[in-house]
Amino acid sequence: MPPRSRAKGATVLALANQKGGVAKTTSVASLGAAFAELGKRVLLVDLDPQACLTFSLGIDPDEVEASIHDVLTGKADLANVIHECADGVDLVPSSIELAGTESVLLGRPGREYILQEVLAGVAADYDIILLDCSPSLGVLTLNALTAARGLIIPMPCEMLGHRGVGQLLDTVRDVKRILNKKLTVIGVLPTMYDSRSAHQQDVLADVGERYSIPVLAPPIPRTVRFAEAPAVGRSILETARTSKGAQAYRAVAKDVLSRL
Ligand code: ADP
Ligand code: MG
């Protein structure tokens, strides 16, 4: 295994997009496994009440004793909620209770800083912490953007031409101004790429100029392999080690590291 990074505190990266079904969770699981393959100590945090990341790593969110909900509402210590997973990554699971977390936090001063504060307690134990956001721009996602040093925006190639990225970038601008000056957009991650589509090739070619933000490479190909992976509690890097999708995520992981 390559030597581990000696960086003092983990680099926190949020994967966010207020749209659902754009491969946020798939990208968190796959990039997490890819960083682990590179010898990084990786922590994944499931910030979506739907708990798809938790499921996909083989943990039943209904069975967990405590989840990120308990951590954010002050009922549990983060260190006691971490699960070791088969893919060589650690996970802070979600649970359905997370659907009520935002209303619990609403009356609290400094509610956007809670995740940042609790992650600081384990930052020395990890090289990279990936935050899997829910499809909204609510308090949980604001917590993620406040805790993060970098933002990755997964986006299916067929949606790259739409306006959705603009709205997220407006939020990022507000977060930078008010909550987290250090936040930078690492880039858009083009997902579900169909290389036979001339239209997708075209939008991929000009998305960087359209939003003037970096575009991570290579694009992640659309493949049925991704639908199969979560059923067995492992990412595509384990279930289809040499597939094009797995190779693409490994290459994107290196691209991300080169931009940090
Ligand atoms: P999000 O977290 O943004 O809601 P998911 O990661 O859950 O998105 O992905 C949505 C669906 O798309 C899932 O069923 C997943 O298996 C599928 N999917 C993700 N990436 C790909 C891909 N590259 N090719 C085909 N299907 C994919
Ligand atoms: Mg998801």
Side-chain angles (χ1 to χ4, degrees):
M1 244 207 244
R4 284 177 166 165
S5 151
R6 294 277 168 249
K8 249 200 201 137
T11 300
V12 181
L13 302 176
L15 279 83
N17 185 329
Q18 70 275 25
K19 285 216 180 286
V22 298
K24 290 183 292 295
T25 299
T26 304
S27 298
V28 167
S30 303
L31 288 175
F35 287 132
E37 279 183 4
L38 292 170
K40 304 290 182 194
R41 299 166 302 166
V42 180
L43 178 67
L44 310 181
V45 183
D46 191 347
L47 287 169
D48 188 342
Q50 293 195 27
C52 295
L53 179 67
T54 302
F55 265 120
S56 77
L57 288 167
I59 294 170
D60 183 345
D62 293 335
E63 302 277 296
V64 298
E65 231 165 79
S67 75
I68 187 67
H69 166 79
D70 302 288
V71 175
L72 293 174
T73 54
K75 287 188 280 186
D77 276 345
L78 182 66
N80 296 333
V81 177
I82 293 173
H83 291 246
E84 278 181 32
C85 298
D87 270 4
V89 299
D90 286 356
L91 170 75
V92 181
S94 173
S95 69
I96 189 62
E97 287 177 299
L98 194 61
T101 309
E102 298 209 342
S103 56
V104 176
L105 298 184
L106 225 47
R108 300 218 179 147
R111 59 182 172 267
E112 292 91 355
Y113 295 94
I114 299 171
L115 183 64
Q116 179 185 65
E117 197 186 304
V118 296
L119 288 180
V122 299
D125 300 331
Y126 295 98
D127 300 308
I128 294 185
I129 300 178
L130 299 180
L131 310 176
D132 185 21
C133 294
S134 69
S136 85
L137 294 174
V139 174
L140 290 172
T141 299
L142 288 178
N143 262 274
L145 295 177
T146 303
R149 144 117 187 267
L151 168 66
I152 295 172
I153 307 172
M155 183 70 109
C157 290
E158 62 191 21
M159 281 167 56
L160 281 173
H162 300 185
R163 277 195 294 272
V165 177
Q167 198 189 345
L168 181 56
L169 293 179
D170 287 346
T171 303
V172 168
R173 209 166 301 126
D174 289 345
V175 168
K176 282 181 78 152
R177 194 162 48 84
I178 301 163
L179 297 167
N180 178 14
K181 288 193 173 53
K182 280 192 267 183
L183 180 65
T184 57
V185 179
I186 306 285
V188 168
L189 171 57
T191 60
M192 305 184 193
Y193 180 52
D194 179 358
S195 59
R196 293 164 307 178
S197 158
H199 173 66
Q200 291 192 15
Q201 287 175 16
D202 288 348
V203 291
L204 196 57
D206 78 10
V207 65
E209 282 170 43
R210 183 188 290 251
Y211 298 111
S212 62
I213 48 178
V215 181
L216 294 166
I220 308 300
R222 179 182 284 280
T223 146
V224 67
R225 296 286 194 170
F226 287 102
E228 297 164 352
V232 292
R234 311 292 291 271
S235 82
I236 188 177
L237 271 72
E238 292 291 333
T239 59
R241 291 196 62 80
T242 57
S243 66
K244 278 188 186 156
Q247 302 291 29
Y249 272 115
R250 287 189 185 99
V252 168
K254 286 184 183 154
D255 189 15
V256 170
L257 290 180
S258 76
R259 292 169 191 268
L260 294 178

